[in-house]
Amino acid sequence: MGSSHSKSRLATYPVSEKNNTRLDSKLSDLSMRDEYADSEIEPSISLRLSSVVKWEEKLFADPKNRLALSALTTHAATAILQKPSVLLNDTHIFSDKVELEGSPVTNQRSSGRCWLFASTNIFRVGLIKKYKLGGFELSQNYLGFWDKLEKANFFLEQVIDTLDEPLDGRLLQWMMVAPVGDGGQWDMVVNLVEKYGLVPQALYPDSFNAKATSRINWLITVKLREAALALREIANSSSSTKSDELQSYKAKIVQQIYGILVLSFGVPPKPEDTFTWNYYEKDGKFHTLTTTPLDFYKENIGALSMGASSILENVLGGDIMGNADKGVGERFSLVNDPRNPYNRLLTVDRLGNVVGGRNVRYVNVDMNTMKAVCIAMIKAQRPVFFGCDVGKFSDMQKGILDTNLFDYELGFNVSLGMDKGQRLLTGESLMTHAMVISGVHIVDGKPTKWRVENSWGDASGEKGYLIMSDDWMSEYCYQTVVDPAYAGKAILDVLKQDPITLPLWDPMGSLA
């Protein structure tokens, strides 16, 4: 990516007076409640044991804290502090729901491929309708295989493009962290589908290593880090054919990575290889289809886009989304990042998977705007891909995402006062997981909770489905992928802007 963002301005994050005021007002909440503080103890640079003794005496003078000690030292805090009222209120009843939710419930196993599962869970809805299927999955392993190979090539090209950067600098060190990690973003899905197409899961199912990727990820990462050092050595040599040598060495490494992937994930179909798919309609009628992965995608653009193809081109004119402006490529990301101005286009420097592919782009909007588009899509029977920080205030066994789920003040005498922007600034929160919204409950014109399709199997939540409170969505949802038909021209116009470029290490560059 690199030079492609030369017209973009780099983002800066001043802390607003508003945020400072709010945080100042909460400072006492971030330590022991006033009743447990001792005004007679003078501040000290070093920790005084005499102070600790007095704090302890104050703490256990309250019987509640003696009870808390017994409970919290022998049980998980999340089990002790869970609010029963929240469990009673968070039920799977919704005023608006996508009628056809894809089946079966998917399971990414011990891998971080949630973005591929969330995207294919959306794609399959239109295919289930078109082919009258009872249940269906697209091959996540197929997209995952080509993603890792593309990421390896992308990483090595970035190494070549940053030869003048210090090896111990922040950029190179960040690039080295997880060059072929399982995570990804919506625009990266588009790159893969546009280049490689789609295949039914039955034709390229998950291998053992696709279900448990950590060892293969480690092996490829070590090889790529080693290759990065070798490329820099070649660049520092006095050879007159350095450019050719760099590309030759890179090609050798990519070939080796391909070998690792084939031996661990299986030989994948090629984009133009013919395959035959045999299937039954839900009423038992047999069919057979012979095509290629690319043709399977192109022949089903209408089903995959559910009738929204070409809207961006018709509304705005021209090719504003790059080469992938129809089909799955028409959908784009709304994000909520309070650190940056709303109604602005954002991108992340050097974040991608396919060299020459579509850059990661986000339209930054307020949460009310994001929710309004999601509601419009659900009412139109279109599920919504979204990215969130799934580990915060959640019980995945019960399938609940709710900011009121745990009462930490009751157990520990503290409350947490940071807002969404402050959590991003301090590293407290970022996008960690992608799922699908398939329902919403609206009361008096306002959403109160959302139905979520996860990819952790049917033992999580209610047969694989979760409940997300509306407050939780406001605080911990960062991204939704929306259909342009429901976004409105004001949002679509933002796509024509030169983007604000966030650095690679920015939390909005996290891969779900």
Side-chain angles (χ1 to χ4, degrees), residues 238-252:
S238 58
S239 172
S240 59
T241 59
K242 267 191 287 193
S243 179
D244 291 340
E245 290 179 25
L246 287 170
Q247 287 300 323
S248 178
Y249 179 77
K250 190 203 82 169
K252 175 185 174 182

Side-chain angles (χ1 to χ4, degrees), residues 182-200:
D182 290 347
Q185 269 296 346
W186 174 257
D187 298 290
M188 297 162 75
V189 174
V190 173
N191 288 337
L192 295 171
V193 174
E194 291 288 333
K195 185 170 181 178
Y196 295 100
L198 296 165
V199 300

Side-chain angles (χ1 to χ4, degrees), residues 47-324:
L47 180 63
R48 294 178 177 176
L49 292 180
S50 58
S51 298
V52 172
V53 171
K54 290 185 177 181
W55 296 343
E56 189 174 301
E57 290 175 352
K58 291 277 187 180
L59 183 67
F60 292 120
D62 187 337
K64 178 187 77 71
N65 291 325
R66 297 199 298 272
L67 177 63
L69 176 68
S70 297
L72 295 171
T73 55
T74 55
H75 297 79
T78 52
I80 295 297
L81 303 178
Q82 200 166 89
K83 295 182 179 179
S85 59
V86 172
L87 302 181
L88 291 174
N89 291 331
D90 286 339
T91 58
H92 280 269
I93 297 177
F94 300 90
S95 61
D96 297 89
K97 183 171 167 288
V98 175
E99 293 178 5
L100 178 57
E101 294 174 318
S103 64
V105 171
T106 56
N107 195 335
Q108 66 190 74
R109 307 292 177 177
S110 298
S111 75
R113 300 172 295 160
C114 56
W115 61 296
L116 294 177
F117 278 77
S119 56
T120 53
N121 283 346
I122 287 176
F123 297 157
R124 68 176 174 169
V125 172
L127 296 174
I128 289 173
K129 289 180 178 179
K130 177 178 177 178
Y131 294 103
K132 303 176 183 178
L133 304 170
F136 178 70
E137 282 189 65
L138 288 161
S139 174
Q140 304 90 1
N141 193 28
Y142 178 71
L143 295 177
F145 180 102
W146 294 114
D147 176 63
K148 289 197 181 296
L149 189 63
E150 288 284 0
K151 279 177 178 171
N153 183 66
F154 187 92
F155 169 78
L156 295 172
E157 281 296 319
Q158 293 300 306
V159 170
I160 292 172
D161 192 50
T162 55
L163 292 171
D164 293 333
E165 294 281 342
L167 182 60
D168 59 354
R170 189 173 189 180
L171 176 59
L172 266 295
Q173 288 297 300
W174 195 266
M175 285 169 50
M176 298 282 185
V177 171
V180 290
D182 290 347
Q185 269 296 346
W186 174 257
D187 298 290
M188 297 162 75
V189 174
V190 173
N191 288 337
L192 295 171
V193 174
E194 291 288 333
K195 185 170 181 178
Y196 295 100
L198 296 165
V199 300
Q201 191 203 51
L203 301 177
Y204 192 60
D206 275 359
S207 69
F208 173 87
N209 286 294
K211 297 175 185 177
T213 54
S214 61
R215 181 55 55 180
I216 298 305
N217 286 347
W218 167 81
L219 179 62
I220 296 175
T221 297
V222 172
K223 190 62 189 176
L224 289 175
R225 289 169 177 165
E226 179 183 281
L229 296 176
L231 287 169
R232 292 174 72 89
E233 287 182 7
I234 293 171
N236 290 329
S237 70
S238 58
S239 172
S240 59
T241 59
K242 267 191 287 193
S243 179
D244 291 340
E245 290 179 25
L246 287 170
Q247 287 300 323
S248 178
Y249 179 77
K250 190 203 82 169
K252 175 185 174 182
I253 297 301
V254 174
Q255 180 183 2
Q256 292 179 7
I257 301 303
Y258 179 77
I260 294 172
L261 290 171
V262 166
L263 296 174
S264 54
F265 291 168
V267 180
K270 311 306 182 291
E272 297 183 354
D273 283 356
T274 299
F275 68 80
T276 298
W277 174 41
N278 297 316
Y279 67 95
Y280 289 100
E281 291 183 4
K282 58 185 176 183
D283 62 3
K285 188 176 180 180
F286 174 80
H287 293 274
T288 184
L289 174 67
T290 299
T291 185
T292 69
L294 271 176
D295 286 341
F296 185 65
Y297 164 60
K298 293 175 182 177
E299 292 163 0
N300 287 297
I301 281 181
L304 294 166
S305 61
M306 302 177 75
S309 183
S310 300
I311 286 177
L312 283 182
E313 187 175 5
N314 294 337
V315 171
L316 298 177
D319 182 9
I320 64 168
M321 295 297 286
N323 295 326

Side-chain angles (χ1 to χ4, degrees), residues 6-66:
S6 57
K7 293 184 180 179
S8 307
R9 69 177 181 85
L10 290 173
T12 57
Y13 306 123
V15 178
S16 67
E17 292 183 5
K18 177 182 177 183
N19 285 348
N20 269 333
T21 301
R22 180 159 188 243
L23 192 58
D24 288 343
S25 69
K26 292 289 186 177
L27 284 178
S28 63
D29 290 337
L30 300 177
S31 56
M32 284 293 181
R33 286 207 309 251
D34 291 343
E35 61 196 89
Y36 299 115
D38 193 333
S39 59
E40 297 179 359
I41 298 178
E42 296 181 0
S44 173
I45 294 176
S46 60
L47 180 63
R48 294 178 177 176
L49 292 180
S50 58
S51 298
V52 172
V53 171
K54 290 185 177 181
W55 296 343
E56 189 174 301
E57 290 175 352
K58 291 277 187 180
L59 183 67
F60 292 120
D62 187 337
K64 178 187 77 71
N65 291 325
R66 297 199 298 272

